[in-house]
Every structure is written in structure tokens, then in C-alpha cells.
Amino acid sequence: MRSLNFLNKKAARIFILVFAGSIVAVTSCNKDFLDKKPLDALTDEAVFSDAVFLQSYVYNVYNGMKPIWYPGTGGFEALTDVAVSQPETHDRSAGIRQYLEGTISPDNVIDLTQIWKEEYGYIRKANVFFEKTEGSTIDPAVLDPLRGEMHFLRAWMYAELVKTFGGVPIITSSFKLDDGNFDVPRNTYEECSQFILDECELAADLLEGQTVIPGKISRAAALALKARVLLYMASPLNNPSNDITKWQAAETATKAVIDLNYTLHPTHDDLFTRPLKADEIILGKSHTAGTRIPDWGFNYDYWPSGFDARQRIMPTQTFVNMFQLTNGEYPYLADGVTVNPASGYDPQNPNKDRDPRYYSDVIYPGAGPFTISDGAKSTTRTYEYWEDANPNPDNAEPFVNPNKVDPKNGQALYDYGRDSKTYWVKGKTPFHWRVQTGYTFRRLLDFTGPRASFDHDYKQAITFLRIAEFYLNYAEIQIALGNEALAREYINKIRKRPSVNMPDITSSGEDLVRDYRNERAIELHLEDHRFFDLMRWKAAPGNIDIPVRGLTSVKMDWTGAQPGDLLGKLSFEFGTIEAAEVRSPWKGDYYYLLPIPREEIKRSNNAIVQNPGYQ
């Protein structure tokens, strides 16, 4: 019997395959589990006739769920108006630049994403599973839930492919991706979507009655994926005639998810930390050594550069402006540069009285204090992104800052901050990256852990499906159906989370659409939604192709500050970040889908037809 050579040996190690909590459920019922041979040393017959190893095989295919940070960090967020990448540190910077410059092509799309090859690799593993378990002697009470998980996983991977490329080949047999050819044409978008919906239905039926374990695929997850796919099917990109029956189908499926009685977790701050918040999260996973973000981890990719990290992506001013003040008014008018006179917003005190999620999600100059665990530089301090407002020649002494040393660790303090460019120019920190907006993302940081570690047990949790998304989806559907009062009700549910408690929105028409889309951008950022939302709405012009804005100058005036005052008076200037990538005018409707890699078309002997608009 041939060995299971299609499994990656490293990935097959049982302890690094499982989602949060699920390995406990398996091992507690199988005390001899650790005495089994590793999967890569077993025959097909041994794996597919043993329920424990078969569950581990299924866990391996969980890895086919594209992580939210893929590609690089932050999903596709840096392709949108809410984030910008730091090209010196971002491992997909070439692809990001090519997309934003309008030069993405079948030849260079793999610089941005390898999702075609990766997802079809895992789809093949799913197909092997179905072939090898046909006629299995494993107890149906054990096997059927595993089949349900695998139907969900195959649906998930096809959903990722379809929202990226449109219609793709539906493959249900296990021929290898390294076979001589891949001569299967593309199915239509409608055929692919129906296949995904059918898979979700099968998964839901097979998982009916199963105990819900955080991190493990459940019937609720299958119903949620079905509802999300139906929303995509109803959206303008895929429903150009605005067929109302598609919105009605999405409405029915989404209401079924809402009726499962998941609730909003009361505290927004800890929603993205483990243990998984099972009251809200339908499917997610916790950070483990085996499921970590690649390389050093979330902290090293999101911490500010002044914390000696690579800060791969940063929020833009556009994103920051989406956060209203606590009175429910936007700080700026829709143009993003004119102060909203009704808001009471002061550009020289921009961080005062903002939506509570702003303080949970964004690090801004003066934010904190944060605990920085980084060897000799470990301390607790604010984010000191400021220059000296009244510098001496060459920023030389004497310094006006009344605090000469950091009280936490005795480090010297200056008139300029420890996250400023001057601090880097003077050789006091190794990092101050070229692209800076003055902000960084906070949501996925763990300040209880070190800056970078392969071994630390970080607290982050990743969400794939949570009820807040489906409240927002339902609101979008009701806007499309003309039921604005019901749409406002579901948007306001999100805003009334106890730790948020923002005023109700009362808008209608185009203002309601703006409120909804801003609410969605804030609530779901870094969960890999924004790019695909803009694509399915056909809303790229004026969003993706606008210049990157941020803080162009932040200065600290220490005049009048007394010993112990951590801050003097900050002043801010806002504008275009000249060092950021130049975003070209939107290329046209064809750009709403990515090109299929040319190598995949060649391997199909041209059976696969390229997306329109790409040569």
C-alpha cells in the first residue's frame, strides 16, 4: 500500500494541526493516541480506517482556511483605503504595489497571492478524504461529523477562490497538482456558488446535533458560510441586474444564523484574545506555536517601528476618520479634509472623545502607556511619535523636557519622542521605516508578551466567522430591500455593545450607506473583509485609488511642562504621505477580479480561460 505522500510531513504533526480546544476533545477519548505512528509513516489504509488518525487528517485540511493575515500581514487590507504597507518589511510588497499601480497581471499575480495553488492543494486532500472513506467501516456516528467538517472545508476553500477569481474549475477527484496537466475548464460563477451552497448544506446536515467545541467546525459555521456566500451572490459585482430574489435568499439564510442565538461579546477589547469568545465567535482559532502568523508573530508585524518592530502595515488617515466622536458625528465631512462643523472636533486635539473602538484599535501619538517587553529596552511608556517643536540646533542639549529619565527603566528622555525620526537618526533605535502614517493597528497586539518570540504563548485569537458580521450583513441586505428602519436596528446593535455604546444612527439613503460601510470597516478591520467588500460593491473608485493620508508632522512643545508630566502640548499636521506607494486611477471593472496565474493556464493546456481584461 502506498504511503500518504501528499501530506506535508511537518504539517502532519498532530499537535500543530488542531484548532483551539479540539485536540483536548480527541485525546481525552483516545488515551493511546500518543502511541500511534505519525501520519507520514502510515499507509492510506491505516489512516482512513482509524478514527483518531482520520480526525487528525481533517485537522490538517483546516490549514487550507486562508489565514486573515495572508498575504503577509493584514490580509488584503493594504490594497484598500484603510491601510498602507511598509514595503521594506512586507513580504508581499511587490504584489501590493503592482495591484495599486494597476499593473497586476497573470505573470506577476503570484507576487501578491499563491491562493490558487494553495487552495487546490488542500481541495485535493479533501477529495482524497471522500474517496478513501467511501464504504468505510468506521462507525457512522464518528465518520459523519468528519465528513461534515470536510464538506465545510471544501466549501470554504472554493469560496475563497471564487471571490478572488470568479468562476473556477470544480474538482472533486484527487488527481495530483503535479500531474502533467490540469485540463479542466472553469465552471461559471453561478455553478461554483451553487456547489459551495450544496457543500454547506451537506456539512450542516452531517454536523446536526454535534457538541459545539470552540475552534471546531460546527453546523452553525456551515450555515454562516452559506449566508455569507449568498450575500456575495446578491452583491452588485455578481448581481448586475439587482435580482431581488438573490437578496431575499441572503436575507433568509442570514436570519437563520442570527436565530442561532449567538450574542455580541460585551467587551470589545478582549474579543480578539483567547480563549475564543464562544458567545460571539462562530468559528475562530487561538494563536499557538503551530498556527502562528509566519516569522516572529503579530507583535513584530504590528508594533510601531520605535518598539523595534517591522510595522508591516499601518492605518491611514482615511480609516482614522471613519471613527466618529462620541456624539455620533464624523470628525470630517465626506471629503476627508474639511472639519465637520457639527462635530466639535478639534484637529489639534484629534484623539479626544472618539468612538471607544478607536482606543482599542488604533495606536496614535500619545496613546498608551504600553508595556514593551524587549530585553534591555523593556519598559512601560506611551507611543512617542513626535519631534521637538522648538529644537536646539541639531536637536542638541539642553533639552526642555522636565523628565530626564524614564522612571520605569532609567532610559534617557529627550524633547523628541522615542518613536520619532530624530531618535532613529541619532542612532538610538535601529528602526524608523520610510513609510509612516503616525498610527499603527492595535487590535491584534499582545502587550503581555514579548516583541518577538517563537516560543511565547501569545494571547491572540483569530476570527473567521462571528455574529457581528451577520448583524452587519443583515443590515446591508435590508438596505438593498428598502427596509431602512430594520437596517438601522441591526447597525445600532453593533454600536450598542456595552463597551462601545455609541449613539444610534438615524440616517437614510446615501448617508445610511456611508454609515453602514464605515461601521463595517471599523468593526471588521483586519478580518480580511474590506478588500472583498469594495470588490463586491464595485466601490473601488474613490476608495482604493485615493492617495494615502496620515500625520505628516507631529510636534511636542514642552513649554510649561512640570516634572512628572508625560506630555507637553502636541500639534498635528495632516496630509498625503509622499513616501507611500502611488495609487493609480482605477483600471476599470475587470480589475474587480484578480488574474489567474499564467502558469495555471499553461498547466491546463489552455482549458482554463483567463479573466476578461488580462492578457
Side-chain angles (χ1 to χ4, degrees), residues 52-63:
V52 175
F53 283 124
L54 191 57
Q55 177 69 87
S56 297
Y57 181 94
V58 173
Y59 286 146
N60 175 272
V61 183
Y62 273 61
N63 291 325

Side-chain angles (χ1 to χ4, degrees), residues 286-422:
S286 295
H287 178 288
T288 69
T291 61
R292 62 179 299 117
I293 189 172
D295 304 322
W296 288 105
F298 281 111
N299 283 2
Y300 198 39
D301 279 355
Y302 286 94
W303 273 18
S305 61
F307 295 9
D308 289 3
R310 57 188 171 194
Q311 196 177 8
R312 279 185 165 179
I313 66 170
M314 293 146 282
T316 63
Q317 193 67 45
T318 301
F319 179 62
V320 168
N321 291 351
M322 290 177 179
F323 290 87
Q324 296 174 341
L325 279 77
T326 52
N327 61 14
E329 294 282 351
Y330 291 105
Y332 291 90
L333 299 181
D335 63 9
V337 296
T338 304
V339 172
N340 176 7
S343 68
Y345 170 76
D346 179 359
Q348 295 308 314
N349 196 4
N351 306 308
K352 180 183 178 183
D353 295 335
R354 303 295 289 271
D355 181 329
R357 289 171 292 184
Y358 178 64
Y359 306 105
S360 302
D361 294 339
V362 177
I363 296 177
Y364 50 86
F370 304 107
T371 298
I372 307 169
S373 178
D374 187 23
K377 289 192 174 183
S378 298
T379 188
T380 299
R381 67 171 176 85
T382 58
Y383 175 44
E384 299 177 5
Y385 187 87
W386 59 71
E387 300 290 350
D388 185 2
N390 304 295
N392 298 321
D394 195 33
N395 271 308
E397 296 186 55
F399 297 116
V400 181
N401 185 344
N403 305 293
K404 304 305 179 185
V405 297
D406 184 323
K408 297 290 184 181
N409 63 6
Q411 294 173 0
L413 297 178
Y414 307 90
D415 289 354
Y416 46 87
R418 283 173 283 186
D419 303 301
S420 69
K421 186 175 182 179
T422 297

Side-chain angles (χ1 to χ4, degrees), residues 444-502:
L444 290 173
L445 298 183
D446 178 5
F447 286 106
T448 68
R451 170 190 63 123
S453 172
F454 285 116
D455 304 316
H456 183 77
D457 198 15
Y458 287 100
K459 293 174 59 179
Q460 291 102 338
I462 295 165
T463 62
F464 291 113
L465 298 161
R466 62 185 177 102
I467 198 62
E469 174 197 342
F470 294 91
Y471 284 175
L472 290 167
N473 292 357
Y474 198 63
E476 180 176 338
I477 292 163
Q478 296 309 323
I479 291 172
L481 292 174
N483 302 323
E484 290 191 344
L486 192 52
R488 287 191 291 268
E489 176 186 336
Y490 275 85
I491 297 170
N492 289 330
K493 285 177 183 288
I494 301 292
R495 295 167 66 86
K496 288 303 182 186
R497 187 192 300 267
S499 66
V500 176
N501 197 28
M502 285 289 288

